[in-house]
Amino acid sequence: MDILGHLADGMLLSIQPLNLLLITIGVTVGLFIGAMPGLGSVNGVAILLPVTFLVPPGSAIIFLAAIYYGAMYGGAISSVTLGIPGASTAVATTFDGRPLALQGRAGLALVCAAIASFIGGTVANILFTLFAPLLASVALSFGPPEIFALMLLAFATFVGLGGDDIPKTILSICMGLVFAAVGFDQVSGAPRLILFNINGFLHGINFLVLAIGVYGIGEMLWTIYSTRGEITSTKAEISAAQIGRDAKECMQRGWKGTTIGSLLGFFVGVLPAAGATPGSLMSYGVTKMLSKNPKEFGKGHPAGVCAPEAANNSASTGAMLPMLTLGIPGSPTTAVLLGGMVIWGLTPGPRLFVEQSDFVWGLIGSFYVSNLAAVIINLAFIPLFIWMLRMPFTVLAPLIFVLSVIGGYAAMRDMHDLWLMVAFGAGAFFLRRFDYPLAPAVLAIVLGPIAEPTLRQSLLLSSGDPTIFVTRPVAGPITVIAIVLILLPALKFFRKGKPAPAE
Amino acid sequence: MELSKRMFIGLAGAAMATTMIPAAAMAWEPKKPIDFVIMAGPGGGADQIARFLQSVAEKKDMTNRPLVPNNKGGGSGAEALIALATTNDPDHTILVTLNSFFTTPLRQSNLGIDIQTFTPIAMMAVDPFVLWVHKDSGITTFEEWVDTVKGMDGEYVMGGTGKGQEDSIVIAYLSGAYDLKIKYIPYDGGGAVAKDLAGQQIMATVNNPAEAKGFYANGDFVPLLSFSDERSENFPDVPTLKEKGHDFSYNNQRAVVGAPGMSEEAAAYYQTLFKDIYDTEEWQGYMASESLAPLWMTPEETREFWKVQVARHQELLVAMGE
């Protein structure tokens, strides 16, 4: 096999002493950068890009890819231990990771995150190795109508969940969509919804500001409210044997989520418009929908940690594909990597695999090695993170607040965002008090900016004819599935509802 | 004894610092990281160039404080212009611009931006525009393209970076000059436009060569017409619109400007810095490989250039019906 030969060469290249050292450093640095709220892989890669001028390009990109991997693992850590998403890609991890931590099972959540990340990364690497050129052409076949259909499907997975209060879910989505519309209209280029004429709204509402506000500040307020100021600390014990038992439970209860996350995440990541954040949110939604016990999600189900974590790692690898084969970044981080490649004199695009095959296979080989290094280093650090959790909440609460403020500021370096973040935190507290689900709003603010332009582009393409979403060969089936999912709760309601009056 | 010695050194240091002040003011240096605002989102042509400039400065250790790239692409760059106009630290705020530097304040007069208040720093290059089609369309010349567009009677689809943006100005001129009806789909960046031409979601684009480079090298994209004054060395067989008998050429400026109210000392520092970057092998090599054309100007010439460009864009936008 030609591919296997190339891959073996690439792996050999990445376990050369210098490269192995860079991978170890990169993964460790990435792990901690990812764990800092607000700082994600994009910051890590951007900050360390200049360092890479000291080593040859092949080693440089391996180093950056290692940071990228480390940050993807690290994002889960603060999501679980503090309830603040460590990076936008780890928002979905807070949904179940935080409840697990509050039940004293942070170890289980962190082990699940590490294992699912490893599996997601590995599955993505194998798919990448075997099908890169084919997948690049699939990515190209996704025009605006296909992407919009996919976004519709993502919303459908959140609406179509049995058990939740559907009107409240829809209201939550609408709120998210309104926030997503703030800023500039891409089609006409005109400003819109600049609330109270505050200039800070011109750059739109940053997703991370909403997520940190809702999950960092909002969660902190909620904990203070629910404990009534009593001094509490979470019981958290960890040992090697406990990690083993957690790993076993994770495999038993989380395998389905891991599988869905690995495959769906990769596919969404490959599409240049999407990236790892939508990938992880969609995987969470689909896993919950397909689960036998959807009601356990959001209360601490291991699969609710496995799915988004497998997906964000898988999607991050997937996002490398359009970058390398088409020269188009699938995520902000890959945009920075792309900048690096141009400086090293490499032209990403269809010719890269042919002209720079050593470079490409060295990079792919390093994905495998980085992924393995990341899971080992991450598992080794779990006791440290657990130890942090044993601090009493009176110490943790100010810490969460400070980290939230830093994270909210780091995203855009704008004080306006901090006020907004506090407002979102307070708003989230009241919504939660009245049982409004918040995850759909978060999903909407991520997917809205993708769904809206693609909807309008599609309608421009078809001169306003909405059948474009059902007549195109790829968009059609996706749209139909999405509509069925949205109507499913209504159908269930009628089936249950009709016999009732007869009784 | 020990204490008094330390005090003495401290005092001497303070005294020296006081006498040094005039000298320090002459050789101004940044005192904190420089906010390097980019007038476009990540991944597109302007972003690539900004990150390249930053990397050259970093690699050659040319600044004592780092340039920190800060993408503010919202509203065709309106967000970036407002950020510069309202910054409270004009000496540490610079902007990488494209032609939306001229068009956005014209199209959105309510923003209250007067670009003549900005501080000229450097004109790094001008980026040409080329008309591209996919090889599977079978079109190989500009004349065939015009016939095809006319034959589709309003169903011919082109993609670009949005109404009033550089490429739409070129497309609007073409449509007027050749009486073409084109359906125009806006995208959020040149990279996304190139990708959808590669996937044949759209039929043609007016992209900068850098954005189409990978696909062109692979034979997927066919260049039909260039909008420069003369043929490019990288595309010697591609005719210009001027050769076709229309007195029209259009380029995207790749310039660096300072915030309004920047001190003269700071402006002089950045002007020297970017002149040095301009002269590096790296930048010269980048210009050659990405088909950029040199257009170095002094600050005075730049202000004159701005006046001409604003007047010209006003005409073009009026002609487009904006």
Side-chain angles (χ1 to χ4, degrees), chain A residues 46 49-50 53 139-147 184-191 199 202-204 272-273 325-329 332 335-336 338-339 342-343 347-351 355 412-414 453 457-458 460-463 472, chain B residues 35 42-43 47-48 51-52 54-55 58-59 68-72 74-76 78-79 82 86 107-108 110-111 155 157 161-163 183-188 191-192 194-196 198-202 213-215 217-218 220 286 290:
Chain A
L49 188 63
F53 296 124
L140 283 180
S141 71
F142 267 67
E146 285 75 23
I147 307 261
F184 278 94
D185 173 13
Q186 188 192 316
V187 174
S188 70
N199 278 342
L202 283 171
H203 64 228
T325 57
L326 307 171
I328 293 147
V336 179
L338 196 68
V342 174
I343 294 150
T347 304
R351 303 289 296 163
E355 285 165 6
M412 293 297 259
R413 297 196 288 273
D414 191 345
Q457 284 165 348
S458 307
L460 281 169
L461 272 172
S462 68
S463 305
R472 305 230 320 182
Chain B
D35 196 5
D47 184 56
Q48 279 180 26
R51 289 182 193 279
F52 188 87
Q54 179 228 357
S55 307
E58 200 76 53
K59 188 176 172 185
V68 183
N70 184 359
N71 290 96
K72 288 191 186 291
S76 311
E79 192 197 339
I82 289 170
T86 58
R107 295 176 66 227
Q108 300 177 30
N110 57 333
L111 296 175
E155 288 303 308
V157 180
T161 52
K163 220 176 172 190
K183 216 185 246 188
Y184 181 79
I185 313 288
Y187 287 84
D188 63 358
K195 178 232 151 201
D196 266 10
Q200 299 198 66
Q201 309 292 340
I202 49 180
K213 195 180 171 196
F215 296 106
N218 199 37
D220 294 331
Y286 184 84
E290 308 297 317

Side-chain angles (χ1 to χ4, degrees), chain A residues 42-104:
Chain A
V42 62
N43 310 83
V45 170
I47 294 164
L48 291 165
L49 188 63
V51 178
T52 61
F53 296 124
L54 306 172
V55 293
S59 304
I61 192 123
I62 287 173
F63 180 57
L64 293 180
I67 298 171
Y68 192 40
Y69 262 94
M72 283 299 153
Y73 279 83
I77 291 162
S78 57
S79 297
V80 171
T81 54
L82 303 175
I84 320 170
S88 59
T89 49
V91 170
T93 313
T94 54
F95 299 167
D96 280 273
R98 180 65 181 156
L100 277 172
L102 291 175
Q103 294 156 23

Side-chain angles (χ1 to χ4, degrees), chain B residues 37-233:
Chain B
V37 183
I38 304 163
M39 220 173 159
D47 184 56
Q48 279 180 26
I49 284 175
R51 289 182 193 279
F52 188 87
L53 294 172
Q54 179 228 357
S55 307
V56 174
E58 200 76 53
K59 188 176 172 185
K60 303 230 151 190
D61 204 13
M62 296 164 96
T63 53
N64 64 330
R65 294 285 186 276
L67 293 162
V68 183
N70 184 359
N71 290 96
K72 288 191 186 291
S76 311
E79 192 197 339
L81 292 171
I82 289 170
L84 251 77
T86 58
T87 180
N88 49 19
D89 190 3
D91 281 2
H92 294 94
T93 312
I94 56 177
L95 172 72
V96 183
T97 65
L98 39 162
N99 286 2
S100 44
F101 183 63
F102 309 119
T103 52
T104 299
L106 285 173
R107 295 176 66 227
Q108 300 177 30
S109 51
N110 57 333
L111 296 175
I113 298 283
D114 175 10
I115 62 164
Q116 287 295 345
T117 60
F118 285 64
T119 313
I121 289 177
M123 173 65 83
M124 301 305 287
V126 286
D127 210 344
F129 285 98
V130 174
L131 173 67
W132 305 90
V133 291
H134 196 277
K135 71 165 192 300
D136 292 352
S137 70
I139 299 172
T140 53
T141 66
F142 178 63
E143 284 70 25
E144 284 172 31
W145 181 79
V146 171
D147 291 343
T148 309
V149 178
K150 287 196 168 167
M152 307 253 316
D153 194 31
E155 288 303 308
Y156 196 83
V157 180
M158 286 184 75
T161 52
K163 220 176 172 190
Q165 297 289 68
E166 295 81 359
D167 61 275
S168 76
I169 289 175
V170 174
I171 293 170
Y173 183 87
L174 270 186
S175 309
Y178 289 90
D179 192 23
L180 306 173
K181 276 191 219 151
I182 290 166
K183 216 185 246 188
Y184 181 79
I185 313 288
Y187 287 84
D188 63 358
V193 175
K195 178 232 151 201
D196 266 10
L197 179 61
Q200 299 198 66
Q201 309 292 340
I202 49 180
M203 299 167 190
T205 69
V206 172
N207 259 156
N208 293 125
E211 291 160 340
K213 195 180 171 196
F215 296 106
Y216 170 65
N218 199 37
D220 294 331
F221 286 8
V222 181
L224 296 179
L225 189 73
S226 116
F227 301 92
S228 306
D229 286 322
E230 280 162 28
R231 292 191 182 201
S232 155
E233 277 176 31

Side-chain angles (χ1 to χ4, degrees), chain A residues 136-415:
Chain A
S137 64
V138 171
L140 283 180
S141 71
F142 267 67
E146 285 75 23
I147 307 261
F148 178 73
L150 198 68
M151 292 302 119
L152 201 62
L153 185 63
F155 283 120
T157 58
F158 268 67
V159 179
L161 300 168
D164 283 347
D165 190 333
I166 305 254
K168 282 181 175 172
T169 304
I170 290 176
L171 187 82
S172 179
I173 287 183
C174 290
M175 256 181 348
L177 286 177
V178 170
F179 289 139
V182 169
F184 278 94
D185 173 13
Q186 188 192 316
V187 174
S188 70
R192 65 176 177 195
L193 281 181
I194 309 301
L195 309 167
F196 314 111
N197 277 326
I198 298 171
N199 278 342
F201 284 113
L202 283 171
H203 64 228
I205 294 177
N206 189 297
F207 158 68
L208 214 52
V209 170
L210 179 83
I212 294 180
V214 169
Y215 291 102
I217 310 270
E219 173 76 29
M220 188 185 71
L221 291 175
W222 181 255
T223 312
I224 293 171
Y225 167 79
S226 53
T227 59
R228 303 274 171 191
E230 272 174 54
I231 296 174
T232 51
S233 72
T234 321
K235 269 185 287 166
E237 299 293 330
I238 198 79
S239 63
Q242 185 58 39
I243 290 183
R245 281 196 295 277
D246 285 343
K248 202 174 156 208
E249 181 174 352
C250 164
M251 291 318 291
Q252 279 166 350
R253 298 181 63 198
W255 67 270
K256 215 166 159 188
T258 310
T259 315
I260 293 168
S262 303
L263 297 174
L264 187 64
F266 183 75
F267 182 67
V268 175
V270 164
L271 302 173
T277 307
S280 65
L281 284 163
M282 283 174 77
S283 299
Y284 181 87
V286 171
T287 305
K288 183 175 175 185
M289 193 176 64
L290 295 180
S291 165
K292 288 190 199 93
N293 310 306
K295 289 197 172 175
E296 285 177 27
F297 280 76
K299 291 171 188 142
H301 195 298
V305 176
C306 289
E309 278 303 308
N312 69 28
N313 263 46
S314 184
S316 307
T317 310
M320 292 274 189
L321 199 133
M323 177 191 85
L324 292 171
T325 57
L326 307 171
I328 293 147
S331 67
T333 316
T334 49
V336 179
L337 286 176
L338 196 68
M341 290 174 65
V342 174
I343 294 150
W344 300 318
L346 300 161
T347 304
R351 303 289 296 163
L352 189 74
F353 273 72
V354 185
E355 285 165 6
Q356 301 284 346
S357 119
D358 285 353
F359 170 84
V360 173
W361 288 103
L363 177 64
I364 296 176
S366 83
F367 290 169
Y368 286 86
V369 179
S370 293
N371 195 27
L372 187 65
V375 73
I376 294 169
I377 293 172
N378 188 356
L379 285 173
F381 274 117
I382 284 180
L384 173 74
F385 301 128
I386 298 284
W387 172 79
M388 280 186 4
L389 258 183
R390 269 189 270 165
M391 284 185 269
F393 191 69
T394 39
V395 176
L396 267 182
L399 190 69
I400 291 175
F401 186 74
V402 169
L403 286 174
S404 296
V405 167
I406 295 173
Y409 187 72
M412 293 297 259
R413 297 196 288 273
D414 191 345
M415 276 307 287

